[in-house]
Amino acid sequence: MSTTGGAGSTALVTGASYGIGADIARALAARGHDLVLVARSAGPLGRLAAALETEYGITARPLTADLSTEAGLEAAAGAGLGLSFERTAWEEERRMLALNVVAPSRLVHAALPGMLGRGRGRILNVSSVAATAPVWLGTSYGASKAYALALTESLARTRRVRRSPVALTALVLGHTVSEFHERAGIPPSPPSLTLGSPYVAERAVRAILRRRPPVVCVPSVRYRVLAGLLGHLPHRIAALPPLADDFTVTSYGAPQPSYGTGEPPAGGPESAGGDGQDGVLPAEAHGQRERQP
Amino acid sequence: MSTTGGAGSTALVTGASYGIGADIARALAARGHDLVLVARSAGPLGRLAAALETEYGITARPLTADLSTEAGLEAAAGAGLGLSFERTAWEEERRMLALNVVAPSRLVHAALPGMLGRGRGRILNVSSVAATAPVWLGTSYGASKAYALALTESLARTRRVRRSPVALTALVLGHTVSEFHERAGIPPSPPSLTLGSPYVAERAVRAILRRRPPVVCVPSVRYRVLAGLLGHLPHRIAALPPLADDFTVTSYGAPQPSYGTGEPPAGGPESAGGDGQDGVLPAEAHGQRERQP
């Protein structure tokens, strides 16, 4: 991707097989960008790559990798745990931290120096409204998203980056689709706070293709207001049940942790197709999470 | 440690051989708590344990562990990288994330259910003012401290924890001592913002021994004001050079990364004896970082 968003350059999109990742890949393809699409599963990834090549006349190369392992750390997807810290196995927590904290850091660390050297490039890290206040109580999910937001801000606001044409943006997501909640037995998110994944992807791609992308991108006015409120409300109020999910006491049928069996539990407030993302697009643009093999 | 801070119970203190870790161990020993002291190096740890046993008549058991490895993940220390993301080797970043993000998560995950079951216990996670605003630009250090703060808040504010006698506290540190800065060639912190490590340790221990410990503990009024300001100032102002360290452009002699050679570069705004901590004290109270073997 050229600095000013021209077509012809290549974007690496992680977690590209489903949901927001796939929608971001599509939004970039529609603008003429070649793609490297990363996810764990070859099937959906290959089908998406073929479809985008046919539809938009770009080149899309699928790349399978499990980013929760050292070996797979050539690109980043993301994960969400909608379960209380007390109910999870450490292996699930470790995997989430590997995907949401370590993998994006690795990718940015690998990509940023080259981008600064070339004087072009965009990085989009996927954060969440869960990072802005204790609205995702009892889990480590919000904390992992606070890390993504803080890392992006720390790097984006340095003089070197601000004075270069390179930019980093944190995408602050809200509820994006609700399939996950239903599958997991979690009450669906309020329709007024649920955004369509293609809409969110379009807003994110538009934001990073600006000449001066924002450091923080919160798609939709509703979430901008909510994120602002949550960041400033006294914690006592922000932690009230209607505003906060408290996973240690909810009575819904707790989803069975399924990490390690090859099927991520997914989760995170963005849910199916959009939950728990943590995409980073070092190659020069960016994308997202992996949902299901 | 009993719920209300009575003597006789056992506290696990990580990074206990130097600085704030050692001072927290001392403050707990002075109150009659038995100790398990964790650090990488046997020498200083053994000497401290022996000294505290003699001085306070408690039992202090030294435990050597490197928490940046899976095997060492039975306790947590912390690390700080005062270097720009562009200048570090990935192995240094990986090690910092292992110490500041993964290890404390592992310890809390292991300790919290048992504490809730027994109805007693305290956990102190070490965060930093670097977590409250982009004041530590160009590094992943502040982001790792934002994670520690957010994880503590997410767990501490659940109904289950609030209704139990168990408590989690995030210790938000500022510059604590300046030896590190001198050694690394970084200009010393302003004296008005430098706190003594024994003072900070005493405040932290006092806070967690209350019947209702605070979720966030910021020792000293100066830092409470600063943390409040940094959290609310527009980022444009917070990122101004006098307020923000910008490690991508500073002209000080950059410290040589020394991770991996057995000698941590240390760093983080708290500096020598207090920098980069991320202590967690599952056993029931808590402590801190490891400075040097």
Side-chain angles (χ1 to χ4, degrees):
Chain A
M1 174 184 318
S2 85
T3 298
T4 51
S9 58
T10 300
L12 184 141
V13 182
T14 59
S17 53
Y18 289 91
I20 285 191
D23 285 322
I24 285 185
R26 181 172 294 276
L28 290 165
R31 287 167 170 82
H33 295 289
D34 291 331
L35 299 170
V36 177
L37 304 176
V38 183
R40 276 197 300 169
S41 47
L45 206 56
R47 285 192 290 278
L48 178 66
L52 295 180
E53 286 195 337
T54 307
E55 196 167 344
Y56 300 104
I58 51 109
T59 303
R61 191 159 69 84
L63 178 64
T64 56
D66 181 351
L67 302 170
S68 71
T69 63
E70 285 288 326
L73 256 178
E74 288 122 41
L81 284 178
L83 275 176
S84 159
F85 213 56
E86 299 161 59
R87 293 184 192 173
T88 55
W90 169 247
E91 175 53 25
E92 299 158 43
E93 295 288 340
R94 190 206 61 75
R95 189 180 145 83
M96 195 204 66
L97 292 176
L99 288 171
N100 289 11
V101 173
V102 181
S105 304
R106 177 74 187 100
L107 288 167
V108 174
H109 190 266
L112 188 57
M115 287 183 177
L116 288 169
R118 289 189 300 275
R120 54 203 284 265
R122 295 286 186 268
I123 294 177
L124 183 70
N125 288 317
V126 181
S127 182
S128 161
V129 286
T132 60
V135 286
W136 197 243
L137 292 182
T139 77
S140 52
Y141 176 80
S144 77
K145 292 306 184 181
Y147 176 87
L149 182 59
L151 180 69
T152 306
E153 291 199 291
S154 170
L155 300 177
R157 298 187 195 283
T158 58
R159 268 165 284 182
R160 173 119 189 242
V161 171
R162 278 183 289 136
R163 287 173 183 174
S164 84
V166 174
L168 297 95
T169 297
L171 176 60
V172 175
L173 288 178
H175 289 278
T176 307
V177 275
S178 57
E179 181 199 317
F180 162 73
H181 288 80
E182 286 163 30
R183 285 183 52 240
I186 299 177
S189 25
S192 61
L193 284 177
T194 303
L195 300 174
S197 162
Y199 168 83
V200 170
E202 185 65 26
R203 302 291 299 209
V205 168
R206 230 181 266 177
I208 62 172
L209 294 183
R210 286 191 217 153
R211 199 175 64 80
R212 284 278 159 213
V215 174
V216 178
C217 170
V218 186
S220 105
V221 175
R222 282 167 292 182
Y223 272 105
R224 272 197 293 280
V225 172
L226 186 64
L229 281 179
L230 288 174
H232 289 93
L233 281 181
H235 285 301
R236 223 171 279 262
I237 293 172
L240 287 177
L243 285 168
D245 290 311
D246 183 333
F247 284 87
T248 56
V249 292
T250 45
S251 54
Y252 63 79
Q256 291 306 307
S258 50
Y259 265 22
T261 64
E263 194 190 15
E270 297 83 25
S271 72
D275 52 303
Q277 313 77 336
D278 224 303
V280 180
L281 72 176
E284 326 240 17
H286 154 210
Q288 211 85 343
R289 76 178 298 276
E290 169 159 18
R291 172 137 180 76
Q292 202 89 320
Chain B
M1 176 183 315
S2 84
T3 300
T4 51
S9 56
T10 300
L12 183 141
V13 182
T14 60
S17 53
Y18 288 91
I20 286 193
D23 285 322
I24 286 185
R26 182 172 293 276
L28 290 166
R31 288 168 170 82
H33 295 290
D34 291 330
L35 299 170
V36 177
L37 304 175
V38 183
R40 278 197 300 169
S41 47
L45 207 57
R47 283 192 291 278
L48 178 66
L52 295 180
E53 287 196 336
T54 306
E55 198 167 342
Y56 300 105
I58 51 109
T59 303
R61 191 160 68 86
L63 178 63
T64 56
D66 181 352
L67 301 170
S68 71
T69 63
E70 287 286 328
L73 256 178
E74 289 124 39
L81 283 178
L83 275 177
S84 158
F85 213 55
E86 300 161 58
R87 294 185 192 171
T88 54
W90 169 247
E91 175 53 26
E92 298 158 44
E93 295 288 341
R94 190 206 62 74
R95 188 180 145 83
M96 195 205 65
L97 292 176
L99 287 172
N100 288 10
V101 172
V102 181
S105 304
R106 177 73 187 99
L107 286 167
V108 174
H109 190 265
L112 188 56
M115 286 184 178
L116 288 170
R118 289 189 297 274
R120 54 203 284 264
R122 295 286 186 267
I123 294 177
L124 182 71
N125 287 318
V126 180
S127 183
S128 162
V129 287
T132 60
V135 286
W136 197 242
L137 292 181
T139 77
S140 53
Y141 175 80
S144 76
K145 291 307 183 180
Y147 175 87
L149 182 59
L151 181 69
T152 306
E153 290 198 292
S154 170
L155 300 177
R157 298 188 195 283
T158 57
R159 268 164 285 182
R160 173 117 188 244
V161 171
R162 280 184 287 136
R163 288 174 184 174
S164 85
V166 174
L168 296 96
T169 297
L171 176 60
V172 175
L173 288 178
H175 289 280
T176 306
V177 276
S178 56
E179 179 199 319
F180 162 74
H181 287 81
E182 286 164 30
R183 285 183 52 240
I186 300 177
S189 26
S192 62
L193 285 177
T194 304
L195 300 175
S197 161
Y199 168 82
V200 170
E202 186 64 28
R203 302 291 298 209
V205 168
R206 230 181 267 178
I208 62 172
L209 293 183
R210 284 190 218 154
R211 200 175 63 81
R212 284 279 159 214
V215 174
V216 179
C217 170
V218 188
S220 104
V221 174
R222 285 168 290 182
Y223 272 104
R224 271 196 293 279
V225 172
L226 185 66
L229 280 178
L230 289 173
H232 288 93
L233 282 181
H235 285 303
R236 223 172 281 263
I237 294 173
L240 286 176
L243 285 169
D245 290 313
D246 183 333
F247 283 88
T248 56
V249 293
T250 45
S251 56
Y252 62 79
Q256 292 307 307
S258 51
Y259 264 24
T261 64
E263 194 189 16
E270 297 85 24
S271 73
D275 51 302
Q277 312 79 335
D278 224 303
V280 181
L281 72 175
E284 333 236 12
H286 159 236
Q288 213 87 341
R289 76 178 298 276
E290 165 157 22
R291 176 143 176 73
Q292 202 90 319

